[in-house]
Amino acid sequence: MVEWTDQERTLIANIFANLDYEDIVKPDVSCHHSLCLRCLIVYPWTQRYFGGFGNLYNADAIMNNPMISAHGVKILHGLDRAVKNMDDIKNAYATLSELHSEKLHVDPDNFRLLSDCLSIVIASKMGYDFTPDLQAAWQKFLTVVVFALGRQYH
Ligand code: HNI
């Protein structure tokens, strides 16, 4: 069972309280901030799971694909579930883990890759406010999330 200090809980809650989901999934002019775009471009093999999502031909196509940004928002809402269940993320994610494993057949290594992209997007949005203390709490949170999402794989 993971222990959280009050400070860690506050730091994680604050990140989410200040996160504009639509903004995180929408690319800005320099494309630095789009979560899914980053994941799909930096790790192109992740595109294989989104065959039904239409045009992913290049960064421009991905950026303008509304199904992709809608999916990014879905993932962020999925993370809400972890924030609301900090003391039992494992059980909160049991069904989601089963879905990614049994139905979607997503290689669980990709959870880490996506979470790295999310860290980069959030750090670049927050700038100097993304302090080492905040990063430490954030990395711990993501580690627990990734572990919980991988739990139903066998
Ligand atoms: Ni993921 C669907 C949450 C990582 C591929 N994913 C979901 C849904 C949530 C979700 C929530 C919607 C479930 C439902 O409809 O009941 N995904 C998360 C979270 C992470 C994650 C919290 C990691 C932090 N998913 C990934 C990764 C991939 C991925 C890394 C592939 C590279 N997810 C999918 C696919 C779907 C999906 C594919 C189904 C999409 C659809 O709409 O058809």
Side-chain angles (χ1 to χ4, degrees):
M1 162 107 167
V2 183
E3 304 279 343
W4 301 97
T5 64
D6 288 345
Q7 194 202 11
E8 285 169 338
R9 287 177 198 273
T10 308
L11 288 170
I12 301 294
N14 282 346
I15 287 190
F16 279 89
N18 292 310
L19 213 57
D20 175 345
Y21 290 1
E22 295 292 337
D23 188 42
I24 287 281
V25 300
K26 243 183 358 215
D28 64 359
V29 270
S30 56
C31 320
H32 282 148
H33 295 144
S34 165
L35 169 62
C36 296
L37 176 67
R38 251 182 204 276
C39 193
L40 294 167
I41 295 288
V42 178
Y43 309 112
W45 57 90
T46 55
Q47 294 180 19
R48 72 191 290 268
Y49 303 106
F50 301 97
F53 275 45
N55 190 355
L56 305 176
Y57 179 67
N58 55 22
D60 239 18
I62 295 172
M63 255 184 339
N64 293 308
N65 186 321
M67 289 183 81
I68 290 292
S69 21
H71 186 65
V73 173
K74 230 187 236 183
I75 288 181
L76 292 169
H77 280 297
L79 289 172
D80 274 353
R81 209 176 302 170
V83 181
K84 289 185 185 122
N85 294 279
M86 291 277 282
D87 293 313
D88 198 6
I89 295 180
K90 192 174 77 182
N91 281 321
Y93 272 179
T95 315
L96 203 52
S97 174
E98 203 176 310
L99 176 81
H100 284 79
S101 159
E102 307 284 320
K103 192 161 164 231
L104 301 170
H105 306 294
V106 171
D107 181 330
D109 285 351
N110 293 314
F111 299 141
R112 165 62 57 206
L113 304 180
L114 180 80
S115 62
D116 285 350
C117 290
L118 186 56
S119 298
I120 289 168
V121 169
I122 288 180
S124 66
K125 284 266 176 205
M126 293 184 70
Y128 291 126
D129 290 337
F130 196 70
T131 59
D133 274 356
L134 185 58
Q135 184 178 357
W138 177 244
Q139 295 296 154
K140 179 174 166 183
F141 172 74
L142 286 180
T143 301
V144 178
V145 161
V146 168
F147 180 74
L149 275 175
R151 282 272 303 179
Q152 302 297 322
Y153 283 75
H154 39 76

